[in-house]
Amino acid sequence: MKKSISYYDYIIIGASKAGLTAATVLREIQKDAAILIINGEDRLPYKRTHLTKFLARGFDTDDFALEKRAWFQEQCIDLLDSPAQSIDSKEKSLRCADDKKYFWGTLLLATGAVPKELSIPGHQWLSHLRTARDTESIRAKLLQCKDVLVLGQGVEGVELAEQCSRLGLTVTLIGRDDRLMKRWLDESQSARLLALLEQKGVRCIFGQSPCEIGKEGEGYTMKCDNQQFHGDMILSSTGICGNPVLAEDLGIYAQTGVPTDLYCQTEIPGIYAAGDVVQTPPGWPTGLWHWAEYLGTVAAMNMGGQKQMMENRPTRLKSEPFGSFYYSMSYQEVQSSDKSDVFMDNDRGYVRIFSREGRSISALMTGLGKGISKILDAGVKIGKAPGKIFATIEEAMKDGE
């Protein structure tokens, strides 16, 4: 399928969900196209969201692989395990760490995200978990620790705190907000989650932002607004931004990522972007697995000549700290004028559905499991009336889901 040893119709830089989805869609619509995925990591493309869920247990190299190596051969998609080093947009070529040059017809940047760096003294002492190799290195260090500080109380911060607790560590979870996972959960869910973490021995500190980090013997001291904390290690989870590598050299990187039009096309003709590297419009999703998958699909459709416009569609988050299921769908879209119905709030679980003009727009759930979350998914996506959604949930609960 390759026109020559170094030319590809489509080159995709990045092998996570957006890049792999784009390659799959391109193969479906372009049966004879030459496709190359450039993988910048030391293993097969994998499910990144598993990293914060299996930190305590550990994992083998390809435990979370999205596809086996044989799949790429069956799909006639070349997978190159050599990071891209530079791009020449005029020549439509790139050079990789193997010092070989590859030419492309159309290029997709799916290089993902990097942790946001805090601009405070001592920020170099923070440990960030973004890749599988990061996770392996951090786990090895955690096994030598007793006390750990986790900075950031979003979903990743909560999951990191849970995993450190499972390792038997004393954990302090610190954040600037007034409650846990504020972006995704309402007050009731945050309170349930706080009670759960505290029951498991995780100390939660609110309303504190780090000002300075210092090395103190074998450990670290973190000074915040009006408190000071000490730990053998500090894990930071304070947000992400699009990966600037390659994009900055091309002159297409903005404040938090690569801007595109609604067809995933960058300002350079023939270069598209998808996944976490994209700077989406204000209020649109970012940093979510299914959103990256969606952008990979949109980008591939347009790269392959089938026009597809990006839309701000419902997105959801699921997390299971200490085995308790938390679900949130499109909570950021809720406005103060929207109607809210709490259908369940007891020891068994919690269900709240928001609606606008009778149509469901958002849902929150705790404790009822993945089967119920799928019912909420389906109902909100089509704007089904809240009462009808919950009636379906009640039927499913009777049937034992």
Side-chain angles (χ1 to χ4, degrees):
M1 289 186 180
K2 289 183 287 184
K3 295 179 180 179
S4 73
I5 196 168
S6 60
Y7 177 87
Y8 288 86
D9 298 296
Y10 303 102
I11 293 183
I12 299 166
I13 304 178
S16 193
K17 192 58 178 176
L20 191 59
T21 298
T24 302
V25 173
L26 282 169
R27 175 53 70 230
E28 291 173 355
I29 62 179
Q30 297 277 346
K31 300 296 184 183
D32 297 322
I35 302 173
L36 171 66
I37 300 178
I38 297 177
N39 181 17
E41 298 198 38
D42 60 348
R43 63 202 70 205
L44 289 169
Y46 58 90
K47 190 164 186 178
R48 195 174 303 277
T49 55
H50 280 355
L51 299 178
T52 52
K53 296 175 174 63
F54 294 92
L55 173 63
R57 190 199 73 181
F59 49 86
D60 292 330
T61 301
D62 290 325
D63 274 358
F64 309 142
L66 296 170
E67 301 289 352
K68 295 181 179 179
R69 195 166 293 276
W71 179 87
F72 294 92
Q73 298 171 349
E74 292 166 1
Q75 296 295 316
C76 294
I77 296 173
D78 288 349
L79 181 66
L80 178 65
D81 297 322
S82 180
Q85 300 285 305
S86 62
I87 299 173
D88 186 331
S89 59
K90 294 182 179 179
E91 190 181 56
K92 300 185 79 170
S93 70
L94 59 87
R95 191 175 295 277
C96 291
D98 61 6
D99 204 33
K100 292 182 180 178
K101 185 181 280 191
Y102 300 86
F103 294 86
W104 41 271
T106 305
L107 180 70
L108 175 65
L109 293 178
T111 48
V114 294
K116 286 184 178 178
E117 290 285 354
L118 295 177
S119 299
I120 60 172
H123 66 86
Q124 69 272 18
W125 302 118
L126 296 171
S127 295
H128 300 277
L129 189 155
R130 190 63 192 166
T131 68
R133 179 171 281 187
D134 292 339
T135 310
E136 291 165 342
S137 174
I138 286 172
R139 184 176 187 275
K141 294 175 183 177
L142 286 172
L143 293 176
Q144 307 301 316
C145 295
K146 292 183 179 179
D147 302 278
V148 64
L149 306 179
V150 179
L151 182 60
Q153 296 174 334
V155 60
E156 184 180 274
V158 168
E159 290 181 349
L160 285 173
E162 178 229 12
Q163 291 293 299
C164 290
S165 176
R166 288 185 182 276
L167 284 171
L169 304 175
T170 299
V171 183
T172 303
L173 178 60
I174 304 164
R176 65 184 181 184
D177 290 328
D178 57 355
R179 57 186 178 86
L180 297 171
M181 290 176 60
K182 189 172 183 176
R183 180 184 172 202
W184 295 102
L185 306 182
D186 68 3
E187 292 84 352
S188 178
Q189 286 181 299
S190 291
R192 285 172 177 255
L193 181 56
L194 175 61
L196 173 64
L197 294 186
E198 289 182 335
Q199 178 190 353
K200 299 295 184 178
V202 176
R203 179 188 179 201
C204 297
I205 304 294
F206 300 99
Q208 295 293 311
S209 296
C211 303
E212 182 180 352
I213 297 168
K215 187 92 167 65
E216 191 174 280
E218 295 300 317
Y220 304 92
T221 297
M222 183 166 67
K223 295 180 181 179
C224 293
D225 296 323
N226 52 34
Q227 295 189 54
Q228 184 168 297
F229 306 93
H230 177 82
D232 300 318
M233 190 173 187
I234 306 176
L235 299 179
S236 179
S237 176
T238 55
I240 59 173
C241 59
N243 189 346
V245 175
L246 300 176
E248 281 188 337
D249 292 340
L250 288 169
I252 58 174
Y253 192 85
Q255 293 179 336
T256 60
V258 177
T260 71
D261 61 17
L262 294 179
Y263 302 94
C264 293
Q265 167 76 58
T266 72
E267 64 182 63
I268 300 178
I271 299 182
Y272 291 74
D276 291 344
V277 73
V278 173
Q279 179 174 286
T280 53
W284 284 39
T286 186
L288 293 173
W289 184 256
H290 292 289
W291 180 251
E293 180 181 36
Y294 171 62
L295 291 189
T297 299
V298 172
M301 295 290 286
N302 290 298
M303 292 166 69
Q306 298 188 14
K307 203 167 187 179
Q308 177 73 43
M309 184 181 290
M310 183 198 314
E311 298 176 349
N312 186 6
R313 57 194 293 171
T315 53
R316 58 155 169 79
L317 174 140
K318 296 185 291 185
S319 183
E320 299 181 70
F322 295 108
S324 183
F325 193 85
Y326 285 79
Y327 167 92
S328 173
M329 186 170 191
S330 298
Y331 183 53
Q332 296 90 344
E333 302 299 317
V334 174
Q335 301 174 5
S336 59
S337 58
D338 293 328
K339 185 181 179 184
S340 164
D341 292 290
V342 178
F343 291 98
M344 177 183 290
D345 188 4
N346 54 37
D347 291 342
R348 186 172 184 184
Y350 178 77
V351 177
R352 184 180 186 185
I353 302 176
F354 298 87
S355 59
R356 190 177 299 158
E357 298 179 353
R359 294 174 59 85
S360 296
I361 60 165
S362 171
L364 303 172
M365 183 266 286
T366 300
L368 299 182
K370 295 180 180 179
I372 302 302
S373 73
K374 291 179 180 178
I375 295 173
L376 290 168
D377 271 356
V380 173
K381 284 178 179 178
I382 63 172
K384 194 174 182 178
K388 291 184 178 180
I389 294 177
F390 192 70
T392 305
I393 289 175
E394 288 184 308
E395 289 299 317
M397 291 170 65
K398 289 178 184 178
D399 294 337
E401 282 197 27

